[in-house]
Amino acid sequence: MQSSIRYLGILGISLMLAAGPVLATEVEDEERAVERQQETDHPAPTKPAHAVQSEDGDVASEPQPQQTALALLNRTVEPGSFATLHWTPDQSFASIATPVPVLVAHGTKPGPLLCLTAAIHGDELNGIEMVRRLMYELEPDQLAGTVIGVPIVNLDGFRNGSRYLSDRRDLNRYFPGTRKGSAAARVAHSLYSNIVSHCDYLVDLHTGSQKRVNLPQLRADLDNPDVVAFAKHFGGMTVLHSPGVAGMLRDAAVKDGIISVTMEAGGPNRLEPQAVNYGLQAMETLLENLKMRKASRFWSAPQPVFFESEWIRAAQGGILLSEVKLNDKVKKGEILGTVTDPISNTGSAIIAPYDGRVLGMAVNQVVHAGFAAFRIGEVKSTEEVEAQAEKASKEKTQGHPGPEEDSGDSNEAEPHSAGHPRDSSNVAVVDAPEDPDDTTE
């Protein structure tokens, strides 16, 4: 009966979705970018770093304390119970504000506090369903630690079928937020200080943006050894090295000592059962590996890791027709798709710049020159990734510049040459650095 009541509660959340998507620009305008840079007052308090559990589950030599009640959002959740709390971001008229539901499963045994956030972009539905399914299959009396799920962070965007907040800002560019900044900065600060700051671990759930779909994958800073260890707990899910961009929730959390990854799966404005099942299995495996509960299904297959990846952009405008699918292996010089002008019947090929795998791609559509069409990744072994993380950690400790600092470049690697015999004017080019507003979480 209790599970049925919970299910009806979250079903009520889903019924708030209304028709009529709101159009939004792909990139913030200059005024908003400058405004965001100026919002540096009242930073969120820092947290001490957390240690990832070892393979045998030990996290400390001292004995674990008994589980206590959890104080969150002006409520107290007793051990062994499930609760629906409410978070009210400081954004709208107080008299008509709609609280955002927050689901909490508080175990009977001590353990980590894991947070799950979904729909920071209101048009990303797969993460909402992942959180619903995982939270309502948990049994708090058999759980060690606590799982906090926020199925719909951006309630305004969710109602409108829009990626953005009602002020047309991308919420995932404003964390950890400020108390006195723009509406987006205040919402970010409220979520971060009231919920995220309590976490030991964070999984932020997303999909592709702007009519793009992503292979189910983790985005993680693989220069951070703790994040590398955490990412391994998800079983066979693909991992993509992505240090993050300032303002992203994941980036703010990692800098604050909260071990975090982003999970990307599928595309926006639709619910994809295969992507949802894939992500759910990965999170069930995570809970097993964190010693929080026994999983109903366990994923032990080795995961492919992509330490380098690039978005390849269209060289001209026209109609995009893809010749590859997600997860396809491609060879250098292979045609990924074509862009054709429907009036002049002239076109250009989008060429793979190196051997790799298709990690993300745009759906067939009308595109403009410069549109990010295919993301190609180069696979690395687990040993190579761990060695890179150890090297980066030592360089950081010793104060030596890392690869990005030394080269003066941003997060992405140098662009690769297309290396194809076609006229370069008819070949799409690899983009670096990646545009954070149209191709990332």
Side-chain angles (χ1 to χ4, degrees), residues 103-138:
L103 308 177
V104 180
H106 191 42
T108 56
K109 302 174 185 177
L113 199 158
L114 171 67
C115 286
L116 311 173
T117 51
I120 280 181
H121 297 130
D123 61 352
E124 298 180 348
L125 306 183
N126 288 334
I128 298 173
E129 180 66 2
M130 290 182 203
V131 174
R132 181 191 73 81
R133 291 191 191 182
L134 184 66
M135 294 303 301
Y136 284 101
E137 73 178 34
L138 295 177

Side-chain angles (χ1 to χ4, degrees), residues 99-321:
V100 175
V102 178
L103 308 177
V104 180
H106 191 42
T108 56
K109 302 174 185 177
L113 199 158
L114 171 67
C115 286
L116 311 173
T117 51
I120 280 181
H121 297 130
D123 61 352
E124 298 180 348
L125 306 183
N126 288 334
I128 298 173
E129 180 66 2
M130 290 182 203
V131 174
R132 181 191 73 81
R133 291 191 191 182
L134 184 66
M135 294 303 301
Y136 284 101
E137 73 178 34
L138 295 177
E139 296 294 341
D141 59 352
Q142 300 175 21
L143 182 68
T146 306
V147 182
I148 299 174
V150 189
I152 309 172
V153 172
N154 181 359
L155 200 55
D156 284 343
F158 174 73
R159 287 194 182 107
N160 296 321
S162 169
R163 176 180 176 87
Y164 301 96
L165 293 170
S166 56
D167 66 353
R168 297 168 64 86
R169 286 180 171 87
D170 185 336
L171 178 57
N172 207 28
R173 300 295 178 268
Y174 287 85
F175 289 99
T178 62
R179 290 190 183 94
K180 296 183 179 180
S182 64
R186 294 179 186 221
V187 173
H189 176 79
S190 180
L191 177 72
Y192 196 90
S193 59
N194 286 299
I195 299 173
V196 176
S197 63
H198 295 271
C199 306
D200 297 315
Y201 304 104
L202 170 70
V203 183
D204 188 24
L205 303 168
H206 287 265
T207 74
S209 65
Q210 306 293 344
K211 298 183 180 179
R212 298 180 184 88
V213 293
N214 285 322
L215 181 74
Q217 61 191 254
L218 299 177
R219 303 272 180 90
D221 181 1
L222 299 182
D223 285 336
N224 184 319
D226 288 337
V227 174
V228 171
F230 183 52
K232 291 171 65 177
H233 286 338
F234 288 80
M237 177 167 275
T238 294
V239 182
L240 176 61
H241 175 51
S242 176
V245 174
M248 287 182 178
L249 175 56
R250 169 170 63 91
D251 182 70
V254 169
K255 289 176 179 175
D256 207 13
I258 302 166
I259 301 171
S260 309
V261 297
T262 297
M263 182 183 292
E264 293 270 351
N269 285 313
R270 54 182 172 177
L271 199 59
E272 300 163 293
Q274 186 173 3
V276 170
N277 289 334
Y278 203 97
L280 184 60
Q281 183 175 353
M283 289 194 291
E284 289 173 342
T285 303
L286 171 67
L287 292 176
E288 169 81 24
N289 285 326
L290 289 177
K291 310 299 181 185
M292 296 181 72
R293 70 152 196 173
K294 290 292 183 182
S296 57
R297 49 182 177 174
F298 188 77
W299 195 354
S300 59
Q303 57 194 149
V305 178
F306 296 87
F307 206 85
E308 293 183 2
S309 65
E310 305 284 354
W311 274 104
I312 306 174
R313 296 182 181 265
Q316 71 169 63
I319 297 176
L320 170 66
L321 291 174

Side-chain angles (χ1 to χ4, degrees), residues 211-214 309-314 320-328 330 334-339 348-354 357-365 367 370-377 428-431 434 439:
K211 298 183 180 179
R212 298 180 184 88
V213 293
N214 285 322
S309 65
E310 305 284 354
W311 274 104
I312 306 174
R313 296 182 181 265
L320 170 66
L321 291 174
S322 299
E323 297 191 16
V324 295
K325 300 185 297 296
L326 281 179
N327 206 32
D328 278 357
V330 297
E334 182 176 342
I335 296 177
L336 305 174
T338 58
V339 178
S348 64
I350 301 177
I351 305 298
Y354 47 80
R357 191 183 295 269
V358 180
L359 303 179
M361 60 184 292
V363 300
N364 290 335
Q365 60 187 284
V367 301
F371 188 83
F374 300 93
R375 188 165 196 163
I376 307 299
V429 295
V430 175
D431 172 68
E434 174 184 287
T439 56

